[in-house]
Amino acid sequence: MKFTVFTYDSERNSRIKQKLEQKLMKENFMVDPHDPDLVFTIGGDGTVLRAIHSYLDAGKLNKVKFIGIHTGHLGYYTDWLPEELDELILFLTTYELQNYRYPLLEAKLCAGEKTRYRYALNEFTILNAKRTQHLDITINDMFLESFRGTGVCVSSPTGSTAYNKALGGALIYPSLPIYQLTEIASINSNAYRTIGSPLIIPKEQKLILESENWEGMTLTQDHLALDISQLTAIHMTLSDQHVQFVKRKDGLFWNRVKDHFL
């Protein structure tokens, strides 16, 4: 089986990477950063996201499975600790591996007749730090509301525990085929009114965001950001594309929620 190890530059992580590579190669695993079967990440969830986008950009995301080793601050996507490398090797060589598939969010960016697509595992946010942003929000063919405020966050089931939670959004069990829209600093007054609550949207329904003026707007895509001032609309939904993880059988979602937040 072919593998690679993805990490950020730190002396500790480099030592762990070297040790892991040596242990895997003793078990006849082969290093192949360009076309691996397994991608090991060493760090936190941010490292996992960077690794995922690296293989997404290369068009190889559907071919790889991710295994996270936790040395960071948050570890929803990471199952193993550095002192468990021997246990990890035993797990990989002894047990039938159980794969978990987490859906990506898909954003179709429209600028007139030109379109391009972006994908995120955790969330997209649409933010305007310069001025109050107006967004018309439509679900399928039904106009819902005219939003005014800082922006909105659209999160996947797994991303519901990230920025979405900080905004007061709901926590969603990862296997549910739904996504979520949460407002960011909405204006509610006699002149303007929004629903004010997070919206849980089924996969088969499309979220459409339109505005007469996108100047000053930024779209964040997990840890990435891009200027969207030239857009006319954004269409969002839960994608058919997935990220595959090799997970420990005891890695239960609600246990992680309790360990991280309580």
Side-chain angles (χ1 to χ4, degrees), residues 110-178:
C110 305
E113 295 183 358
K114 296 181 179 179
T115 60
R116 52 188 168 136
Y117 290 86
R118 293 290 184 270
Y119 297 89
L121 178 60
N122 270 1
E123 74 275 310
F124 288 106
T125 68
I126 301 171
L127 301 167
N128 198 327
K130 295 182 179 180
R131 60 179 176 82
T132 298
Q133 181 64 38
H134 168 232
L135 290 169
D136 284 335
I137 298 176
T138 300
I139 298 177
N140 280 357
D141 296 323
M142 190 204 75
F143 173 76
L144 180 69
E145 67 179 23
S146 187
F147 170 89
R148 284 173 174 81
T150 298
V152 295
C153 173
V154 181
S155 60
S156 69
T158 51
S160 69
T161 56
Y163 186 37
N164 168 76
K165 182 182 181 300
L167 296 171
L171 301 187
I172 296 175
Y173 200 81
S175 62
L176 297 176
I178 54 181

Side-chain angles (χ1 to χ4, degrees), residues 108 110 124-126 134-139 145 147 151-154 181 206-211 214 217 219 228 231-236:
K108 179 183 177 182
C110 305
F124 288 106
T125 68
I126 301 171
H134 168 232
L135 290 169
D136 284 335
I137 298 176
T138 300
I139 298 177
E145 67 179 23
F147 170 89
V152 295
C153 173
V154 181
L181 171 71
K206 182 180 296 183
L207 174 68
I208 302 171
L209 306 172
E210 298 173 294
S211 180
W214 294 82
M217 290 294 284
L219 177 75
I228 55 172
L231 293 189
T232 53
I234 300 177
H235 297 199
M236 291 192 181

Side-chain angles (χ1 to χ4, degrees), residues 1-255:
M1 188 174 290
K2 297 177 292 184
F3 79 94
T4 190
V5 181
F6 192 101
T7 187
Y8 60 88
D9 188 21
S10 83
E11 186 176 343
R12 182 194 182 199
N13 288 349
S14 295
R15 290 197 304 268
I16 297 169
K17 176 181 178 181
Q18 184 178 21
K19 188 181 296 185
L20 175 61
E21 287 176 339
Q22 290 172 349
K23 290 179 179 294
L24 287 168
M25 286 187 289
K26 283 184 179 179
E27 297 294 333
N28 297 318
F29 286 75
M30 298 176 292
V31 178
D32 187 343
H34 301 294
D35 193 26
D37 302 302
L38 296 175
V39 176
F40 296 86
T41 64
I42 301 174
D45 284 347
T47 305
V48 175
L49 291 175
R50 285 173 173 82
I52 287 169
H53 280 274
S54 175
Y55 286 93
L56 175 63
D57 292 342
K60 298 180 178 180
L61 191 61
N62 63 332
K63 298 179 181 179
V64 299
K65 300 177 180 66
F66 294 87
I67 300 175
I69 298 170
H70 179 53
T71 64
H73 298 293
L74 286 174
Y76 268 94
Y77 297 120
T78 55
D79 276 356
W80 303 87
L81 296 174
E83 57 267 27
E84 297 178 317
L85 294 186
D86 288 334
E87 186 179 347
L88 170 57
I89 301 299
L90 181 65
F91 176 80
L92 293 174
T93 56
T94 305
Y95 296 97
E96 182 178 350
L97 302 184
Q98 188 170 355
N99 299 330
Y100 289 77
R101 290 160 50 89
Y102 296 149
L104 295 172
L105 289 166
E106 177 182 290
K108 179 183 177 182
L109 310 183
C110 305
E113 295 183 358
K114 296 181 179 179
T115 60
R116 52 188 168 136
Y117 290 86
R118 293 290 184 270
Y119 297 89
L121 178 60
N122 270 1
E123 74 275 310
F124 288 106
T125 68
I126 301 171
L127 301 167
N128 198 327
K130 295 182 179 180
R131 60 179 176 82
T132 298
Q133 181 64 38
H134 168 232
L135 290 169
D136 284 335
I137 298 176
T138 300
I139 298 177
N140 280 357
D141 296 323
M142 190 204 75
F143 173 76
L144 180 69
E145 67 179 23
S146 187
F147 170 89
R148 284 173 174 81
T150 298
V152 295
C153 173
V154 181
S155 60
S156 69
T158 51
S160 69
T161 56
Y163 186 37
N164 168 76
K165 182 182 181 300
L167 296 171
L171 301 187
I172 296 175
Y173 200 81
S175 62
L176 297 176
I178 54 181
Y179 62 111
Q180 183 168 182
L181 171 71
T182 306
E183 299 174 357
I184 304 173
S186 60
I187 297 175
N188 282 283
S189 65
N190 290 334
Y192 305 119
R193 180 65 56 189
T194 68
I195 201 161
S197 299
L199 300 178
I200 309 299
I201 306 171
K203 177 181 177 179
E204 60 270 16
Q205 295 184 1
K206 182 180 296 183
L207 174 68
I208 302 171
L209 306 172
E210 298 173 294
S211 180
E212 74 284 352
N213 187 356
W214 294 82
E215 182 184 355
M217 290 294 284
T218 299
L219 177 75
T220 71
Q221 171 193 4
D222 291 333
H223 60 290
L224 305 171
L226 53 141
D227 177 21
I228 55 172
S229 58
Q230 302 302 314
L231 293 189
T232 53
I234 300 177
H235 297 199
M236 291 192 181
T237 189
L238 204 60
S239 173
D240 290 329
Q241 287 200 68
H242 289 77
V243 179
Q244 296 186 81
F245 286 84
V246 176
K247 306 288 286 184
R248 297 172 94 162
K249 293 182 179 180
D250 60 353
L252 298 178
F253 174 73
W254 297 120
N255 287 346

